[in-house]
Amino acid sequence: IGATQLYSDGIRTEIGLRGKYTASDKAKVYGMLEDRTEALLKAGASVIIDATLYRQDLRQTYTNLAQRLRCPIKWIELHTGEETIKERVSKKRPYSEADMAVYEKIKTL
């Protein structure tokens, strides 16, 4: 579709925060993700954000950005069973460090 895809895990790796998930580390990653998204949208690009925006406040950031820049926003929410999740997180992925323990933590929030 010609959109630029931004990955939170890619940014985490790029800025040397792989394996670091303190509140401050996460804020840096998500802040950079938002900044890059805003710059691309202002330049007229379409953007796909690949991140686990599991909390409303994380999603609201992008809703606010879209409203401020007067651009459309679409959400893709994925749902699947735990067997599929176990299978997917057991495979090595270039950027993501998420495993079943991460899934278990997020699903309780």
Side-chain angles (χ1 to χ4, degrees):
I1 62 173
T4 300
Q5 190 168 0
L6 299 176
Y7 303 84
S8 60
D9 289 324
I11 290 172
R12 179 179 307 286
T13 299
E14 176 188 324
I15 63 174
L17 293 178
R18 191 170 174 101
K20 298 178 181 177
Y21 292 90
T22 66
S24 173
D25 294 332
K26 288 189 239 183
K28 287 177 190 172
V29 171
Y30 280 90
M32 186 172 278
L33 183 63
E34 181 183 357
D35 291 346
R36 288 185 183 180
T37 301
E38 182 171 359
L40 286 163
L41 291 173
K42 284 181 175 178
S46 294
V47 181
I48 297 170
I49 300 164
D50 185 340
T52 304
L53 303 175
Y54 62 97
R55 292 189 334 248
Q56 176 58 32
D57 62 306
L58 296 172
R59 294 185 299 275
Q60 190 62 47
T61 296
Y62 294 95
T63 300
N64 294 346
L65 179 61
Q67 289 172 344
R68 189 164 37 87
L69 298 179
R70 293 187 167 96
C71 64
I73 185 169
K74 304 287 182 195
W75 294 99
I76 299 172
E77 187 173 325
L78 304 174
H79 296 267
T80 191
E82 283 200 8
E83 286 306 312
T84 301
I85 293 168
K86 285 178 186 177
E87 178 187 330
R88 290 184 181 174
V89 299
S90 70
K91 295 177 183 174
K92 184 78 172 153
R93 291 158 292 150
Y95 291 112
S96 181
E97 298 174 288
D99 58 13
M100 201 62 189
V102 172
Y103 165 73
E104 291 291 339
K105 181 177 180 181
I106 289 174
K107 86 173 190 176
T108 63
L109 299 176

